[in-house]
Structure formats: C-alpha cells, structure tokens
Amino acid sequence: MAQSLAKEFTKGLWAEIPPFRLVLGLCPVLAVTKSVENGIGMGVATTFVLVFSNLLISLLRNVIPSKVRIACYIVIIATFVTIVELVMQAYTYELFLKLGIFIPLIVVNCIVLGRAEAFASKNGPVLSVADGLGIGLGFTLSLAALGAVREFLGNGTLTIWEGLPVFEMGAGFLPFKFMIEAPGAFVGLGLMLCLMNLIGKK
Amino acid sequence: MREMISMIVVLTVLTAVSGGLLAAVKSGTEVQIENQILKFQKAPAIQDIFPEATNDPLAERFTIKTEDTELQIFPTLLSDGSKAIAFETKGGAFGGPIGLMVGINLSTDEIVDVRVTTHAETPGIGTRAKDDLSFVSQFSGLKIDTNFALKGDGGVIDAMSGATVTSKGVSVAAAQAKDIYQKLKPEIVKQMK
Amino acid sequence: MGDLFVLAISCIFINNILLAQFLGNCPFLGTSKKMETAVGMAMAVVFVLVLAGLITWVLDIYLLKAFNLEYLRTVSFILVIASLVQFVEMFLKKSIPGLYAGLGIFLPLITTNCAVMGVCLINIKEEYTFVEAAVSSFAYAVGFGLALILFAGVRERINLARVPKPLQDTSIGLVTAGIIALTFMSFKGMV
C-alpha cells in the first residue's frame, strides 16, 4: 500500500510530469510563466483543484452514473476552481490580477479533467489524492522552471516570492526581452522539452 | 427509467450543493475582496492624485446613489485649504474597460490630476496609459467643462502615439467624469461635512 | 462601424488568441500535423465559438449580472459550453450529416478547448455590447483558424525535414510556433 502510494505520488514528478511527458494543459504553462512567482501561483492553484476534485470524484465514483459522469466531473471541478478564484481574490489580490482569466480557465485545463477520468474514477480516495498531489506538484515544478528560465533571460532577475529577490544580474546585463514576450514562451518550452528528451532517452 | 432518475437526481444534488457552497465562500470573502480592490487599485491612484492630502480619503469615503449606479467618493483637503474629491469612472473603448480615477477641486472645478486604475489583463492594453505620466498629466489643471476628446476628434488631448485606442478610452472616461460631476456636484457638496 | 472593424482586426491579428493570448494551445499542437485536420478543427471552432460567445453573453447579462450571481460564472459557462457542444453534435448528426462527417470528431474536443471558454470570459471582462461580443467571438475564431492553418502548413514541411532526434515532434512544433508568434508580434501598434 505504502509502496503504491509512493509510486502514484512520484510518477507525477518525473515519469508523467506535465506538461512535458503528458503534453496537456499548455495554455497556462505558456501564458503565466513570465516569472517564477506567477508560475508557482498558477501551479499551487491548479494543485489545489486537482487534489480536491480527485478526492471528491473518487469518493463519489460509485454514485455517479456513467452516462453523465463528465458533466458531474465538470461541476465538481468548476466548483473548486471558483473557490480558488474567490480565495485568491481575497488574499493574494496582486497575483490574482496577474493570472487574470487563467484562473477560471483551470476548469478547461485538460490535466484536471484527464486525471479525473483516467485515475480518480477508478481508484480509491487515498491513491487519488496522492495522484493529484504528485501531478500537481510536477505541474508546479514545470511552471516554476519555465518561469525561471524566462524571467532570468528576459528580465535578469529571479524572484521566488514578492519582495524576495533571490538573484539579480548586474547593470551590465542586457535583458533578452524576447523571452518574456509571447514567442519566448513557445521557444522556451520547446527547448526545455528537447532537453527532457535528451536526458530521458540516454 | 431508474437510470434516468438517478442521473437527474445526482446532477441536481451536485449542482445544488455546488451552488450553496459557492454562495457560502462568496459571502465569506466579500468584505476582504472589497478591501483588496481599495488597497491595490484605488489607494495608489488616490495617493498619486493627492500627494499632500492631510486626511485619509479612503477612510472618509462615502457613496452617492443615483438611479442606476452607486458612486464612491473619496474626499480630501488640498494644501491651500480647498476641498477636493476623487472618484472613478470607466471608459468603454474596446480593448477593455479603462478605469480612471479623477481628482477634482471643488472650489475651482479644475481637475487636480487623473490616474489609470485598471490593471492590464491582456498584455499591452492599458499599460501605456498607466506608465506614461506625460499622457495623463495633460488633464491636470484643465477646467472640468473642457472638451476631453482627442485632438483628432476636436478636443484638446494629445493621443499617445501607437496607442490611440487606449488614449480614446481615457478621454471617454474623463468625459464621463465631467457628466457625473456636473450632475452630482450639489449632492456631493451636501454630503461633504 | 469603423470601431467594429478595428475590433475585428485587433482580435484576429494583434491579440491573436493562439499566439498572443495563449488560449487553445492543446488543439493547436494536437491537430496541426495534417492540413486536413487543421481545417476541420478551425471550422468547428468558428462554429461553436460564435454560438457559445453569444449564449454566454446573454446568460451573463440577463441572468448572472441581473441577480448578482457573478460568482457562478465559471460553473455556468462551462456547463453551457459542454451542453452546447453536445447539442450541436446531435443536431449535425441528424440534419447535416455531410458537415458532421467533417467536423464530428473535433466537436467533443472543443469542450476542453480553452479558447472557447476564454473568449466567452474575455467578452464579459471587456464589457462588450452584444454586437461587439458577436464580432469579437467571430474574429477570435477566425484568428484561431488562421494561425492553426498557417501552422499546419509549416508543420507539413517540417515532416519532410531532418530534425535532430530530441527536438522531434512537439518540441520542434513549439519552437516553430514561437517563430510564427514573432511574426504576429509585428502587428502590435497597428491600432
């Protein structure tokens, strides 16, 4: 039991890390990774939704009739997304403004619905939570990594959380503005994917 | 038939629970959200418009109700002792609503200063108007009955080059502030102690 | 009239939904390997997006805003879009089988296409009027189709090229998309 629990949790961190191994949910990945902070914020919000929707769907998996299961999943996911939206608006307002419509759009993030359909609807609540946490954490790490690359090259800084500059390039550094604009997101993700392939297929 | 009933029951119960839960969360966070909007969007703009305010315009805010809307008024005292107010209007140019905080001197009917309040959600839109102070500073010192349209449309405001639409949005918001002010001034003066 | 034209241009090119707003990227990468599927997807999105944009606009103004229920927006929009897609699918299957044969397999994918939900939310956030919402929904959908078809054309060529192994497939696709996004950036400042 403990072993399979660990397995479900860790697979999200490497073997099935989204969005690299599972090419799903690209939109928020590309859109919000202008900085590490945005990436982490988006990742945490998505993880919250993933964990709770997985838990609830797994608990209700024998009650939900299979014909309307997708509709039920969508209602459950949308409810948690709205909770996240309201809570973020109330307590982390600046981040809420930066992420904009990508918070409500967690609803249509294929990762969340994908995990509900592929995992939570077939497994018990404990495993489903582990799965949600693992995938969510993997997603957060990917977002933070891409955010770090883009922020570092495009702005010359690395900020984990507001008011906590970890690193700043000297005045001689000319920021590579391309990286924080739209095209930089595509190219950055494409090259990171290439790197993952290089490491993965030794 | 039984399957049908169970489908409908499950979906109905689920949506009802979801609606109830959200209503609870909503009412729990409502006050906090309003505070956040005041703190992050309105407070910095008001501070920029009235840098020498001797009071706290946020704490002394009051609302005026018209037939269709409610308007929040932020009162203050200028350094020369005259009373001034600030309120927010919206310019409905496409490319997004642009919020504009307008500060007006009540005794001279002149605009003290204006600031763009809305945060850009779509990249590029509105940010120029927010950062480019030479654009918004055109408004300061103008009489409130000035024609705030852009120069191309017969008014007095120079558009930002390359951001005509945003400029237009700001000028629409200013024109709206004029209408509101002219209509509500007696009411505002009455409510200022 | 002039304003609506400017709005349309800005939705298609400057704020292109795929390349500048990053909405709908899963089908962008998923269905662009062949020109045929790209065209099918583009048509399906135009069809559903315009319908969804208008229906959610009416729903938001006359139901949610009227009763102060804005916090139910996310839930109700996604339900409307999901059932709309189902309905369109059934309708096409019965009455226009020819069109269904072309669009059929793309329709279920559209529910989770964030371009649809995204444009519905943008229409509300930007406080468009009904006509503006109609124009923006259509223009965003056209922009989606344009970028998708352009990209599919480039990708068909890439299939013939020799790409280094780790870069193959999605990876080179993303880099190419970045370069196309760069060309779309030159539209900035046009309005």
Side-chain angles (χ1 to χ4, degrees):
Chain A
M1 181 70 197
Q3 214 176 8
S4 65
L5 200 65
K7 200 185 103 217
E8 297 308 342
F9 178 70
T10 48
K11 74 164 189 266
L13 297 181
W14 183 253
E16 291 183 22
I17 186 168
F20 296 111
R21 292 291 152 85
L22 295 168
V23 186
L24 287 175
L26 284 180
C27 306
V29 178
L30 294 164
V32 305
T33 50
K34 279 187 188 167
S35 67
V36 187
E37 187 194 345
N38 286 5
I40 293 177
M42 188 71 207
V44 170
T46 312
T47 308
F48 174 88
V49 174
L50 255 172
V51 169
F52 282 92
S53 62
N54 258 8
L55 173 66
L56 204 63
I57 287 166
S58 157
L59 285 173
L60 295 176
R61 70 187 187 280
N62 296 324
V63 187
I64 295 173
S66 70
K67 272 190 185 157
V68 287
R69 65 179 194 287
I70 300 289
C72 293
Y73 299 164
I74 287 177
V75 173
I76 292 171
I77 293 167
T79 309
F80 285 113
V81 169
T82 314
I83 293 177
V84 169
E85 200 182 346
L86 288 169
V87 170
M88 284 184 78
Q89 201 174 354
Y91 296 99
T92 55
Y93 193 71
E94 281 184 310
L95 192 62
F96 169 81
L97 287 179
K98 279 186 199 148
L99 299 182
I101 66 168
F102 286 94
I103 302 170
L105 284 178
I106 297 175
V107 170
V108 282
N109 187 326
C110 331
I111 296 175
V112 184
L113 195 61
R115 291 330 286 176
E117 171 75 3
F119 197 92
S121 62
K122 299 185 188 98
N123 291 285
V126 183
L127 280 182
S128 298
V129 169
D131 175 77
L133 259 181
I135 298 277
L137 210 63
F139 188 62
T140 312
L141 281 178
S142 312
L143 283 170
L146 185 58
V149 171
R150 291 182 67 194
E151 191 188 337
F152 180 65
L153 292 174
N155 209 17
T157 55
L158 273 181
T159 319
I160 305 270
W161 205 251
E162 212 199 310
L164 194 79
V166 175
F167 183 81
E168 203 164 334
M169 290 293 262
F173 177 74
L174 271 182
F176 193 32
K177 277 279 182 250
F178 168 79
M179 286 309 287
I180 47 173
E181 298 281 356
F186 286 107
V187 175
L189 186 63
L191 294 181
M192 280 180 77
L193 201 61
C194 165
L195 201 69
M196 290 282 292
N197 288 341
L198 263 181
I199 303 170
K201 291 172 192 157
K202 269 175 210 159
Chain B
M1 192 60 205
R2 274 201 54 196
E3 199 193 6
M4 191 77 189
I5 293 173
S6 88
M7 263 159 55
I8 293 172
V9 168
V10 169
L11 259 182
T12 320
V13 171
L14 212 56
T15 20
V17 170
S18 142
L21 187 64
L22 290 183
V25 176
K26 166 77 186 167
S27 64
T29 48
E30 208 161 20
V31 180
Q32 181 68 18
I33 290 174
E34 208 200 326
N35 284 340
Q36 295 276 33
I37 293 173
L38 275 176
K39 188 172 151 205
F40 284 104
Q41 286 193 330
K42 305 200 170 150
I46 292 172
Q47 188 139 45
D48 279 351
I49 295 174
F50 302 130
E52 306 157 336
T54 47
N55 66 338
D56 182 359
L58 283 177
E60 289 173 27
R61 68 177 191 273
F62 56 89
T63 45
I64 288 188
K65 284 190 182 113
T66 54
E67 304 94 63
D68 39 341
T69 49
E70 283 182 17
L71 188 67
Q72 270 186 332
I73 305 276
F74 303 95
T76 192
L77 270 178
L78 295 178
S79 53
D80 64 357
S82 50
K83 284 177 180 166
I85 54 155
F87 59 90
E88 194 183 18
T89 57
K90 272 186 179 176
F94 86 81
I98 293 170
L100 190 70
M101 185 66 77
V102 184
I104 303 172
N105 186 328
L106 278 177
S107 51
T108 58
D109 290 344
E110 274 172 6
I111 289 188
V112 181
D113 214 342
V114 301
R115 281 291 181 279
V116 172
T117 48
T118 30
H119 197 283
E121 275 161 4
T122 22
I125 292 171
T127 39
R128 284 272 308 276
K130 203 168 179 170
D131 303 335
D132 191 350
L133 289 185
S134 71
F135 174 70
V136 286
S137 64
Q138 289 182 66
F139 288 91
S140 58
L142 291 179
K143 284 275 185 196
I144 190 68
D145 53 7
T146 313
N147 182 359
F148 293 118
L150 298 180
K151 275 192 176 152
D153 300 333
V156 297
I157 302 298
D158 277 316
M160 288 179 286
S161 60
T164 323
V165 176
T166 312
S167 313
K168 207 170 190 169
V170 174
S171 87
V172 168
Q176 210 189 340
K178 168 165 81 176
D179 291 346
I180 293 174
Y181 180 74
Q182 286 172 343
K183 201 167 92 186
L184 295 181
K185 190 184 176 191
E187 184 73 16
I188 294 169
V189 173
K190 208 162 70 187
Q191 288 215 24
M192 302 255 302
K193 283 143 273 171
Chain C
M1 201 53 215
D3 276 359
L4 290 180
F5 180 70
V6 177
L7 174 66
I9 294 294
S10 91
C11 292
I12 295 176
F13 296 107
I14 302 161
N15 293 322
N16 185 284
I17 189 149
L18 283 168
L19 301 170
Q21 310 249 37
F22 300 117
L23 294 170
N25 278 295
C26 299
F28 181 53
L29 289 161
T31 61
S32 57
K33 282 183 192 156
K34 279 194 197 132
M35 187 52 101
E36 207 178 307
T37 52
V39 173
M41 188 69 190
M43 304 283 280
V45 165
V46 173
F47 197 70
V48 173
L49 190 48
V50 173
L51 277 178
L54 295 180
I55 293 176
T56 51
W57 189 90
V58 171
L59 174 81
D60 195 78
I61 302 295
Y62 292 105
L63 208 68
L64 299 183
K65 281 222 176 96
F67 294 100
N68 271 328
L69 292 171
E70 279 106 336
Y71 61 92
L72 290 178
R73 188 176 286 149
T74 314
V75 183
S76 52
F77 275 25
I78 186 70
L79 281 178
V80 165
I81 292 167
S83 35
L84 177 75
V85 170
Q86 283 272 313
F87 184 75
V88 167
E89 200 179 346
M90 284 181 337
F91 175 79
L92 285 185
K93 208 173 191 172
K94 281 218 173 105
S95 6
I96 323 175
L99 195 56
Y100 179 75
L103 304 184
I105 50 163
F106 302 107
L107 284 172
L109 289 175
I110 287 186
T111 311
T112 50
N113 181 342
C114 49
V116 177
M117 177 90 171
V119 170
C120 296
L121 289 170
I122 289 173
N123 282 342
I124 301 303
K125 280 248 160 81
E126 313 275 299
E127 299 183 4
Y128 287 147
T129 62
F130 186 73
V131 181
E132 282 169 345
V135 171
S136 98
S137 307
F138 180 69
Y140 272 128
V142 169
F144 179 90
L146 179 75
L148 182 59
I149 290 167
L150 272 179
F151 185 50
V154 178
R155 251 189 139 174
E156 282 194 333
R157 288 299 187 89
I158 290 178
N159 286 342
L160 304 174
R162 279 172 53 193
V163 178
K165 205 162 183 232
L167 261 173
Q168 269 168 15
D169 211 28
T170 319
S171 184
I172 188 77
L174 280 165
V175 175
T176 318
I179 294 166
I180 299 181
L182 195 61
T183 63
F184 268 71
M185 263 181 77
S186 56
F187 290 116
K188 262 190 187 170
M190 213 165 76
V191 175

